Amino acid sequence: MAERPESLRAGHAEEQARWQDLLAPLIEPRLTDSEHRNLEARAIAAAATP
């Protein structure tokens, strides 16, 4: 696999973070009450984003 230039990696990371920011609030209310519910929602969102 060819290495991506640093700017492409940074852009991809930013895009993933934006998707997580959009998806996590939609996922969070569907989770059971927990002090880590926000982190769990972000983890699910991260797993769902390519």
Side-chain angles (χ1 to χ4, degrees):
M1 180 174 166
E3 287 190 39
R4 290 192 234 174
E6 186 65 32
S7 62
L8 285 179
R9 282 189 296 237
H12 187 256
E14 288 175 6
E15 183 178 355
Q16 281 185 315
R18 282 193 301 269
W19 275 109
Q20 289 174 29
D21 290 343
L22 289 171
L23 292 174
L26 300 173
I27 296 167
E28 189 174 350
R30 293 167 170 80
L31 300 174
T32 58
D33 283 338
S34 165
E35 66 180 71
H36 303 293
R37 189 164 74 168
N38 184 311
L39 294 174
E40 293 169 354
R42 289 193 62 80
I44 294 168
T49 56

